[in-house]
Amino acid sequence: MDNITGFVGRAREADDALCAIRRGANVLINGRAGIGKSAFLRHLNDQLKGGELPVVFVPAGTTKSSLLELARQIHERCGLAVPEAMLPPRTLARVRREGSLPWSDLVRPLRRLPVADTVELLEGSLRRQRFLVLLETLEVPPSQAELFAVILDCAQVVACMDDANRRTRIERLLWRFQATVELKPLPLDDSRELAERWLNVRPLRFSDERTRDRFLRHVAQAGGGIPAAIRGMLEEADKEGEITPAKARSLYHQAGIRYVDMTPLLVVLLVIGMASRYISRGLGDTQMLVLSGVATAIFMGLRFFFFQMRSRR
Protein backbone atom coordinates (compact mmCIF):
# COMPACT_ATOMS: atom_id res chain seq x y z
CA MET A 1 0.00 0.00 0.00
CA ASP A 2 2.90 2.34 0.73
CA ASN A 3 3.84 2.37 -2.98
CA ILE A 4 0.47 4.09 -3.64
CA THR A 5 -0.10 6.19 -0.53
CA GLY A 6 3.44 6.89 0.63
CA PHE A 7 4.51 6.91 4.28
CA VAL A 8 1.74 8.15 6.59
CA GLY A 9 1.50 8.61 10.34
CA ARG A 10 4.73 6.98 11.58
CA ALA A 11 7.15 9.91 11.70
CA ARG A 12 7.77 9.73 15.47
CA GLU A 13 8.26 5.94 15.44
CA ALA A 14 10.60 6.24 12.43
CA ASP A 15 12.70 8.87 14.22
CA ASP A 16 12.93 6.66 17.33
CA ALA A 17 14.00 3.66 15.23
CA LEU A 18 16.58 5.64 13.25
CA CYS A 19 18.08 7.12 16.42
CA ALA A 20 18.41 3.64 17.97
CA ILE A 21 19.97 2.26 14.77
CA ARG A 22 22.48 5.08 14.52
CA ARG A 23 23.68 4.47 18.05
CA GLY A 24 24.35 0.83 17.14
CA ALA A 25 21.39 -0.92 18.77
CA ASN A 26 19.51 -3.93 17.41
CA VAL A 27 15.90 -2.80 16.97
CA LEU A 28 12.70 -4.87 17.18
CA ILE A 29 9.62 -3.55 15.34
CA ASN A 30 6.57 -4.83 17.18
CA GLY A 31 2.84 -4.65 16.39
CA ARG A 32 -0.30 -6.59 15.56
CA ALA A 33 -0.90 -8.26 12.21
CA GLY A 34 -1.68 -5.78 9.42
CA ILE A 35 -0.35 -2.76 11.34
CA GLY A 36 2.26 -2.01 8.64
CA LYS A 37 5.50 -3.47 10.03
CA SER A 38 6.84 -4.46 6.60
CA ALA A 39 6.04 -1.04 5.13
CA PHE A 40 7.74 0.58 8.12
CA LEU A 41 10.83 -1.58 7.58
CA ARG A 42 10.94 -0.67 3.88
CA HIS A 43 10.78 3.01 4.86
CA LEU A 44 13.75 2.52 7.19
CA ASN A 45 15.56 0.77 4.35
CA ASP A 46 15.05 3.81 2.11
CA GLN A 47 16.22 6.18 4.84
CA LEU A 48 19.34 4.18 5.68
CA LYS A 49 20.67 3.69 2.14
CA GLY A 50 23.97 5.45 1.66
CA GLY A 51 24.73 5.47 5.40
CA GLU A 52 27.84 4.31 7.23
CA LEU A 53 26.84 0.63 7.12
CA PRO A 54 25.76 -1.22 3.97
CA VAL A 55 22.13 -2.28 4.33
CA VAL A 56 20.60 -5.60 3.26
CA PHE A 57 16.87 -6.36 3.32
CA VAL A 58 15.81 -9.98 3.87
CA PRO A 59 12.12 -10.55 2.96
CA ALA A 60 9.98 -13.25 4.56
CA GLY A 61 10.49 -16.68 3.01
CA THR A 62 11.90 -20.14 3.50
CA THR A 63 15.30 -20.70 5.11
CA LYS A 64 16.92 -21.40 1.72
CA SER A 65 15.35 -18.41 -0.02
CA SER A 66 16.38 -16.12 2.86
CA LEU A 67 19.93 -17.43 2.67
CA LEU A 68 20.12 -16.90 -1.09
CA GLU A 69 18.71 -13.38 -0.88
CA LEU A 70 21.11 -12.47 1.91
CA ALA A 71 24.01 -13.98 -0.06
CA ARG A 72 23.02 -12.08 -3.23
CA GLN A 73 22.95 -8.70 -1.51
CA ILE A 74 26.20 -9.31 0.38
CA HIS A 75 27.89 -10.45 -2.86
CA GLU A 76 26.70 -7.33 -4.69
CA ARG A 77 28.11 -5.05 -1.98
CA CYS A 78 31.40 -6.62 -0.94
CA GLY A 79 31.68 -10.01 -2.63
CA LEU A 80 31.29 -13.38 -0.94
CA ALA A 81 34.39 -15.28 0.16
CA VAL A 82 33.69 -18.40 -1.93
CA PRO A 83 36.02 -21.44 -1.71
CA GLU A 84 37.43 -22.39 -5.10
CA ALA A 85 36.38 -26.02 -4.56
CA MET A 86 32.75 -24.88 -4.66
CA LEU A 87 32.98 -23.56 -8.22
CA PRO A 88 32.87 -25.67 -11.41
CA PRO A 89 36.20 -25.73 -13.33
CA ARG A 90 34.84 -23.65 -16.22
CA THR A 91 33.52 -20.97 -13.87
CA LEU A 92 36.74 -20.98 -11.85
CA ALA A 93 38.83 -20.51 -15.01
CA ARG A 94 36.68 -17.53 -16.08
CA VAL A 95 36.94 -15.97 -12.61
CA ARG A 96 40.73 -16.25 -12.70
CA ARG A 97 40.79 -14.77 -16.18
CA GLU A 98 38.34 -11.89 -15.59
CA GLY A 99 38.97 -11.31 -11.88
CA SER A 100 35.29 -11.21 -10.91
CA LEU A 101 32.53 -13.66 -10.02
CA PRO A 102 29.05 -12.71 -11.31
CA TRP A 103 26.09 -13.68 -9.12
CA SER A 104 24.61 -15.67 -12.02
CA ASP A 105 27.62 -18.04 -11.82
CA LEU A 106 27.38 -18.33 -8.04
CA VAL A 107 23.67 -18.91 -7.49
CA ARG A 108 23.60 -22.51 -8.77
CA PRO A 109 26.45 -23.77 -6.53
CA LEU A 110 24.86 -22.02 -3.56
CA ARG A 111 21.51 -23.71 -4.20
CA ARG A 112 23.23 -27.10 -4.06
CA LEU A 113 25.10 -26.25 -0.87
CA PRO A 114 23.63 -27.58 2.43
CA VAL A 115 22.04 -24.96 4.67
CA ALA A 116 24.69 -25.33 7.39
CA ASP A 117 27.52 -24.76 4.88
CA THR A 118 25.75 -21.74 3.40
CA VAL A 119 25.33 -20.23 6.88
CA GLU A 120 29.04 -20.77 7.55
CA LEU A 121 29.95 -19.06 4.26
CA LEU A 122 27.71 -16.08 5.05
CA GLU A 123 29.08 -15.85 8.58
CA GLY A 124 32.59 -15.42 7.25
CA SER A 125 31.50 -12.61 4.92
CA LEU A 126 29.48 -10.86 7.64
CA ARG A 127 32.43 -10.93 10.03
CA ARG A 128 34.70 -9.48 7.36
CA GLN A 129 32.37 -6.55 6.57
CA ARG A 130 29.92 -5.07 9.10
CA PHE A 131 26.34 -4.94 7.76
CA LEU A 132 22.95 -3.64 8.88
CA VAL A 133 20.48 -6.48 8.23
CA LEU A 134 16.74 -5.79 8.01
CA LEU A 135 14.63 -8.91 8.65
CA GLU A 136 11.01 -8.70 7.53
CA THR A 137 9.83 -11.24 10.11
CA LEU A 138 10.98 -13.29 13.09
CA GLU A 139 8.07 -15.74 12.60
CA VAL A 140 10.43 -18.50 11.55
CA PRO A 141 11.02 -22.27 11.89
CA PRO A 142 13.88 -23.58 14.07
CA SER A 143 16.37 -23.84 11.20
CA GLN A 144 15.81 -20.20 10.25
CA ALA A 145 16.01 -19.12 13.90
CA GLU A 146 19.51 -20.62 13.92
CA LEU A 147 20.39 -18.52 10.87
CA PHE A 148 19.09 -15.36 12.57
CA ALA A 149 21.15 -16.19 15.67
CA VAL A 150 24.27 -16.23 13.49
CA ILE A 151 23.29 -12.93 11.87
CA LEU A 152 22.80 -11.33 15.30
CA ASP A 153 26.31 -12.43 16.25
CA CYS A 154 27.87 -10.85 13.17
CA ALA A 155 25.73 -7.85 12.20
CA GLN A 156 23.45 -5.11 13.47
CA VAL A 157 19.83 -6.19 13.00
CA VAL A 158 16.39 -4.59 12.67
CA ALA A 159 13.55 -7.13 12.69
CA CYS A 160 9.75 -7.23 12.74
CA MET A 161 7.65 -9.41 15.03
CA ASP A 162 3.92 -9.84 15.53
CA ASP A 163 2.93 -8.93 19.09
CA ALA A 164 0.82 -12.11 19.22
CA ASN A 165 3.85 -14.30 18.51
CA ARG A 166 4.30 -17.13 21.02
CA ARG A 167 7.06 -19.12 19.34
CA THR A 168 9.39 -20.14 22.14
CA ARG A 169 12.15 -20.93 19.64
CA ILE A 170 12.85 -17.21 19.12
CA GLU A 171 12.78 -16.20 22.78
CA ARG A 172 16.54 -16.53 23.00
CA LEU A 173 16.85 -14.11 20.09
CA LEU A 174 14.75 -11.38 21.68
CA TRP A 175 17.20 -10.47 24.43
CA ARG A 176 19.67 -9.47 21.71
CA PHE A 177 17.47 -6.47 20.79
CA GLN A 178 18.34 -3.37 22.81
CA ALA A 179 15.45 -1.23 21.52
CA THR A 180 11.80 -1.89 20.67
CA VAL A 181 9.54 0.31 18.53
CA GLU A 182 5.85 -0.51 18.94
CA LEU A 183 3.51 0.35 16.06
CA LYS A 184 0.04 1.23 17.31
CA PRO A 185 -3.14 1.77 15.25
CA LEU A 186 -3.17 5.00 13.26
CA PRO A 187 -5.29 7.94 14.52
CA LEU A 188 -8.46 8.75 12.57
CA ASP A 189 -6.87 11.72 10.78
CA ASP A 190 -3.97 9.62 9.52
CA SER A 191 -6.31 6.78 8.53
CA ARG A 192 -8.40 9.21 6.51
CA GLU A 193 -5.29 10.71 4.90
CA LEU A 194 -4.24 7.18 3.90
CA ALA A 195 -7.59 6.61 2.18
CA GLU A 196 -7.52 10.03 0.49
CA ARG A 197 -4.07 9.39 -0.95
CA TRP A 198 -5.31 6.08 -2.30
CA LEU A 199 -8.26 7.81 -4.00
CA ASN A 200 -5.92 10.39 -5.54
CA VAL A 201 -4.10 7.55 -7.33
CA ARG A 202 -7.06 5.21 -7.86
CA PRO A 203 -10.17 7.40 -7.99
CA LEU A 204 -13.59 5.82 -7.40
CA ARG A 205 -16.96 6.93 -8.74
CA PHE A 206 -19.33 8.15 -6.02
CA SER A 207 -23.04 8.89 -6.30
CA ASP A 208 -22.37 12.41 -4.94
CA GLU A 209 -19.72 14.38 -3.04
CA ARG A 210 -21.37 13.76 0.33
CA THR A 211 -21.06 10.03 -0.27
CA ARG A 212 -17.34 10.45 -0.86
CA ASP A 213 -16.96 12.18 2.48
CA ARG A 214 -19.05 9.52 4.25
CA PHE A 215 -17.01 6.81 2.55
CA LEU A 216 -13.72 8.27 3.78
CA ARG A 217 -15.10 8.72 7.30
CA HIS A 218 -16.41 5.14 7.39
CA VAL A 219 -13.16 3.63 6.07
CA ALA A 220 -11.13 5.57 8.67
CA GLN A 221 -13.40 4.42 11.52
CA ALA A 222 -14.06 0.82 10.43
CA GLY A 223 -10.38 0.26 9.64
CA GLY A 224 -9.50 0.67 13.31
CA GLY A 225 -6.24 2.36 12.37
CA ILE A 226 -4.95 -0.85 10.72
CA PRO A 227 -3.47 -0.15 7.25
CA ALA A 228 -4.23 -3.70 6.03
CA ALA A 229 -7.92 -3.24 6.92
CA ILE A 230 -8.05 0.16 5.20
CA ARG A 231 -6.46 -1.27 2.08
CA GLY A 232 -8.84 -4.24 2.07
CA MET A 233 -11.89 -1.97 2.14
CA LEU A 234 -10.47 0.30 -0.56
CA GLU A 235 -9.73 -2.67 -2.81
CA GLU A 236 -13.24 -4.00 -2.23
CA ALA A 237 -14.72 -0.60 -3.12
CA ASP A 238 -12.55 -0.50 -6.25
CA LYS A 239 -14.50 -3.48 -7.62
CA GLU A 240 -17.76 -1.51 -7.53
CA GLY A 241 -18.94 0.55 -10.46
CA GLU A 242 -20.35 3.28 -8.21
CA ILE A 243 -20.16 3.83 -4.46
CA THR A 244 -23.56 4.57 -2.93
CA PRO A 245 -24.21 5.50 0.73
CA ALA A 246 -25.44 1.95 1.43
CA LYS A 247 -22.34 0.40 -0.12
CA ALA A 248 -20.08 2.77 1.79
CA ARG A 249 -21.70 1.74 5.10
CA SER A 250 -21.44 -1.98 4.32
CA LEU A 251 -17.66 -2.07 3.92
CA TYR A 252 -15.62 -3.78 6.61
CA HIS A 253 -12.46 -5.86 6.96
CA GLN A 254 -11.57 -8.61 9.40
CA ALA A 255 -8.22 -7.03 10.30
CA GLY A 256 -9.98 -3.90 11.57
CA ILE A 257 -12.30 -5.74 13.97
CA ARG A 258 -11.28 -5.42 17.61
CA TYR A 259 -12.03 -8.27 19.98
CA VAL A 260 -12.50 -7.73 23.70
CA ASP A 261 -11.20 -10.47 26.01
CA MET A 262 -14.07 -11.26 28.37
CA THR A 263 -12.12 -13.87 30.36
CA PRO A 264 -11.35 -11.60 33.38
CA LEU A 265 -15.03 -10.58 33.64
CA LEU A 266 -16.21 -14.18 33.46
CA VAL A 267 -13.76 -15.19 36.18
CA VAL A 268 -14.98 -12.36 38.43
CA LEU A 269 -18.61 -13.38 37.85
CA LEU A 270 -17.79 -17.00 38.72
CA VAL A 271 -16.04 -15.94 41.92
CA ILE A 272 -19.02 -13.77 42.89
CA GLY A 273 -21.42 -16.64 42.16
CA MET A 274 -19.45 -19.14 44.24
CA ALA A 275 -19.00 -16.66 47.09
CA SER A 276 -22.75 -15.91 47.05
CA ARG A 277 -23.53 -19.60 47.52
CA TYR A 278 -21.35 -19.89 50.62
CA ILE A 279 -22.66 -16.62 52.04
CA SER A 280 -26.28 -17.67 51.49
CA ARG A 281 -25.63 -21.00 53.22
CA GLY A 282 -24.09 -19.24 56.17
CA LEU A 283 -26.99 -16.80 56.44
CA GLY A 284 -29.62 -19.44 55.76
CA ASP A 285 -31.02 -17.40 52.85
CA THR A 286 -32.68 -19.99 50.59
CA GLN A 287 -33.65 -17.51 47.88
CA MET A 288 -30.11 -16.20 47.54
CA LEU A 289 -28.77 -19.78 47.47
CA VAL A 290 -31.10 -20.70 44.61
CA LEU A 291 -30.20 -17.59 42.59
CA SER A 292 -26.46 -18.12 43.02
CA GLY A 293 -26.84 -21.78 42.00
CA VAL A 294 -28.77 -20.82 38.86
CA ALA A 295 -26.17 -18.17 37.99
CA THR A 296 -23.33 -20.68 38.43
CA ALA A 297 -25.15 -23.23 36.24
CA ILE A 298 -25.67 -20.63 33.49
CA PHE A 299 -22.00 -19.66 33.65
CA MET A 300 -20.85 -23.27 33.34
CA GLY A 301 -23.18 -23.79 30.36
CA LEU A 302 -21.88 -20.69 28.60
CA ARG A 303 -18.32 -21.76 29.32
CA PHE A 304 -19.02 -25.14 27.67
CA PHE A 305 -20.39 -23.49 24.50
CA PHE A 306 -17.46 -21.00 24.39
CA PHE A 307 -14.97 -23.88 24.40
CA GLN A 308 -16.96 -25.73 21.74
CA MET A 309 -16.91 -22.74 19.40
CA ARG A 310 -13.22 -22.17 20.06
CA SER A 311 -12.34 -25.78 19.22
CA ARG A 312 -14.29 -25.61 15.96
CA ARG A 313 -12.35 -22.51 14.87
Side-chain angles (χ1 to χ4, degrees), residues 118-137:
T118 309
V119 171
E120 185 178 352
L121 187 149
L122 290 175
E123 183 179 4
S125 299
L126 287 170
R127 291 192 185 280
R128 186 183 60 190
Q129 166 70 53
R130 186 73 175 173
F131 278 89
L132 175 60
V133 181
L134 308 184
L135 303 175
E136 190 173 17
T137 180

Side-chain angles (χ1 to χ4, degrees), residues 84 115 145 165 174-175 186 218 240:
E84 291 186 353
V115 168
N165 178 57
L174 299 183
W175 68 271
L186 294 171
H218 173 78
E240 301 293 325

Side-chain angles (χ1 to χ4, degrees), residues 245-300:
K247 180 59 183 177
R249 289 192 300 270
S250 68
L251 291 171
Y252 79 98
H253 193 275
Q254 190 71 20
I257 299 176
R258 299 179 181 180
Y259 296 95
V260 179
D261 187 3
M262 300 296 292
T263 303
L265 176 61
L266 292 176
V267 172
V268 170
L269 292 176
L270 177 61
V271 170
I272 292 174
M274 297 297 293
S276 299
R277 293 190 65 186
Y278 287 110
I279 293 172
S280 60
R281 284 181 179 180
L283 297 176
D285 189 337
T286 306
Q287 185 177 6
M288 183 177 178
L289 179 62
V290 172
L291 290 175
S292 61
V294 171
T296 303
I298 292 174
F299 172 84
M300 296 304 293

Side-chain angles (χ1 to χ4, degrees), residues 22-72:
R22 285 164 181 155
R23 68 171 182 264
N26 294 327
V27 181
L28 187 65
I29 311 300
N30 195 30
R32 60 179 285 188
I35 200 70
K37 298 184 292 295
S38 295
F40 186 83
L41 196 67
R42 286 192 293 270
H43 174 74
L44 294 180
N45 186 33
D46 293 337
Q47 296 298 306
L48 292 164
K49 286 179 179 177
E52 295 181 4
L53 290 180
V55 182
V56 295
F57 185 100
V58 182
T62 63
T63 302
K64 196 65 177 180
S65 66
S66 297
L67 283 170
L68 287 173
E69 181 58 25
L70 182 59
R72 183 188 66 80

